[in-house]
Amino acid sequence: MKSENTHIGQLTLPNDKPVWFNGTVSRGPIRLVSGHPPKAQSALYITDNIQYVTETPEAVRTAVAAAGGNALPIPTEGFFATIANVFSKFSAPPAVWD
């Protein structure tokens, strides 16, 4: 599939099944929020929906970049994570796929 469309990426769902995504409408990795599936190690946005995946934030960033998406900085604790948490409280929560 990748040879036909270079903007397709693949990661793994928390149920161990593959998830294919269009890099041109994806960005990540994003910080995990409470209530995520136990096997999820990271997540990304596909359009305005959160998709939880089993890959590490580093692997998600690599996959998103390879598919032509918006590769975000690796989420960490600290100042920027605190700011992101504050702003997330003022916006509607995104829809979760699955």
Side-chain angles (χ1 to χ4, degrees), residues 8-97:
I8 298 296
Q10 180 184 3
L11 293 166
T12 310
L13 296 171
N15 65 5
D16 296 323
K17 294 185 180 182
V19 59
W20 295 89
F21 65 94
N22 180 342
T24 62
V25 295
S26 301
R27 63 192 187 282
I30 58 174
R31 291 186 79 218
L32 293 180
V33 294
S34 62
H36 62 78
K39 291 177 81 175
Q41 292 191 60
S42 190
L44 69 151
Y45 281 108
I46 303 173
T47 62
D48 290 328
N49 297 298
I50 291 178
Q51 180 62 68
Y52 293 108
V53 295
T54 60
E55 284 80 5
T56 64
E58 293 82 3
V60 171
R61 186 176 198 287
T62 299
V64 168
N70 185 3
L72 302 175
I74 303 297
T76 61
E77 298 299 323
F79 178 72
F80 290 108
T82 302
I83 289 175
N85 278 338
V86 169
F87 282 114
S88 70
K89 293 181 188 334
F90 294 106
S91 62
V96 175
W97 283 8

